[in-house]
Structures are given as structure tokens and as C-alpha cells.
Amino acid sequence: MPVILVEGITDRIALEAVAAKLGRDLAADGVNVVPIGGAQAIRRAAAQHEGKCLVGLCDAGEERWFRRVLGDATYVCSLDLEDELIRALGIDRAEEVVASQVELETFRNFQNQPAWRGRPVEAQLRRWLQNGGRYLRYPPLLIEALELARIPQPLVDVLEHV
């Protein structure tokens, strides 16, 4: 049984959404996506799944941890998952998804906070998506809004590996 080791639950949710969008049933394929609770847990997680086909998905800042254990079976998001999705959608389309959830005003209020005022919209949106439970709700919504050809390559590649 192939196992995809990911840093956290958000990554699992996103990979499951991408698989569904691509018409793939991971459970039927015998693929298990396992959140490991942070990159530093990669060695322990890999040991728990010894003997299985292992592959990993991580953020750029955690690549060294994953590569030490998984080598070339490591797929890396540029900054992180949210960054990949925002870049794939573009700011306008990402904000349309936020608006569809009746949260655009909440995002605008966040943008207006002194600590975030004047920062690039991409950075504001990325941070906003990572807070308040949105990190669990938004990945499938953002992925659903993507055209197939715009799905971030690391997400496609890790699924193709298994």
C-alpha cells in the first residue's frame, strides 16, 4: 500500500480534493495520506510505514527534513500549500472564492489591521487562509475553483508517484 506522508491535515485535505478533482479514488487505489504532525516527525513516520512505497509532500522550508528520509520521493510546495493554491488561482479568483463563502469583508478587515496593512495581497491572503479554521475549509474550495491544468504541480506529481 503506497503512503503519502504530509506535514499536516491541511495537506491531506488538499491531496484528497485534488485526487477527487482528477477523478481518482485514493482509497480504492490503496493510497493512504498520512499527516505526520510536522516535518520533524518524518523519520518516525517513515519507520512506522517501513516496507511500503513512501512519498512525501512538504513546504519549501521543511524540504531538508523530508529529503533526508525520502530523497527524490519528496515533492515540495514553493512556500506552502496556500501559496501554491493562491498562485494557481490568481488573487482575483481566490478572492471570488472567499466572497462565495461570505467572508470577503472579514478578509478586508484583516487586510486593514496595522500589522498587515500595505503588505502584498498574496501574503495577506495566505496568512488569512491559515487562521481561524479556514485552513481546513478552504483548500477543497480553492481546488474546486481551479481548472485542471492549473492544479499546482507538486500536488499532481505526488499523486502520480503513487
Side-chain angles (χ1 to χ4, degrees):
M1 169 188 283
V3 175
I4 302 173
L5 300 175
V6 296
E7 290 181 69
I9 186 108
T10 305
D11 304 301
R12 185 185 80 200
I13 291 167
L15 281 177
E16 290 171 348
V18 168
K21 188 165 184 83
L22 295 173
R24 197 154 166 212
D25 182 345
L26 294 178
D29 291 347
V31 176
N32 193 10
V33 181
V34 178
I36 64 172
Q40 295 80 3
I42 186 68
R43 191 171 305 282
R44 175 188 49 78
Q48 289 175 340
H49 298 281
E50 190 174 345
K52 297 178 181 172
C53 171
L54 294 178
V55 61
L57 177 72
C58 65
D59 299 342
E62 313 302 342
E63 180 178 2
R64 71 183 188 283
W65 295 96
F66 272 67
R67 287 224 185 265
R68 284 181 190 153
V69 176
L70 301 176
D72 289 339
T74 300
Y75 296 89
V76 183
C77 293
S78 287
L79 287 175
D80 53 32
L81 176 67
E82 292 81 6
D83 175 65
E84 289 283 354
L85 296 175
I86 292 166
R87 282 186 304 108
L89 274 172
I91 295 299
D92 292 341
R93 186 72 181 113
E95 285 186 348
E96 287 175 19
V97 173
V98 171
S100 76
Q101 299 302 299
V102 195
E103 291 195 288
L104 191 56
E105 184 178 341
T106 303
F107 175 58
R108 296 289 184 239
N109 289 338
F110 175 83
Q111 288 180 294
N112 212 15
Q113 292 177 1
W116 287 95
R117 197 176 303 142
R119 292 195 187 196
V121 176
E122 296 87 351
Q124 294 169 335
L125 189 53
R126 189 171 143 246
R127 180 67 173 149
W128 184 82
L129 287 170
Q130 293 170 338
N131 287 308
R134 289 181 287 273
Y135 67 98
L136 297 173
R137 285 189 308 112
Y138 272 89
L141 299 170
L142 296 169
I143 289 163
E144 182 58 34
L146 283 169
E147 297 173 21
L148 286 175
R150 303 282 304 167
I151 296 172
Q153 203 59 49
L155 302 177
V156 171
D157 290 346
V158 75
L159 289 171
E160 286 180 354
H161 190 109
V162 295

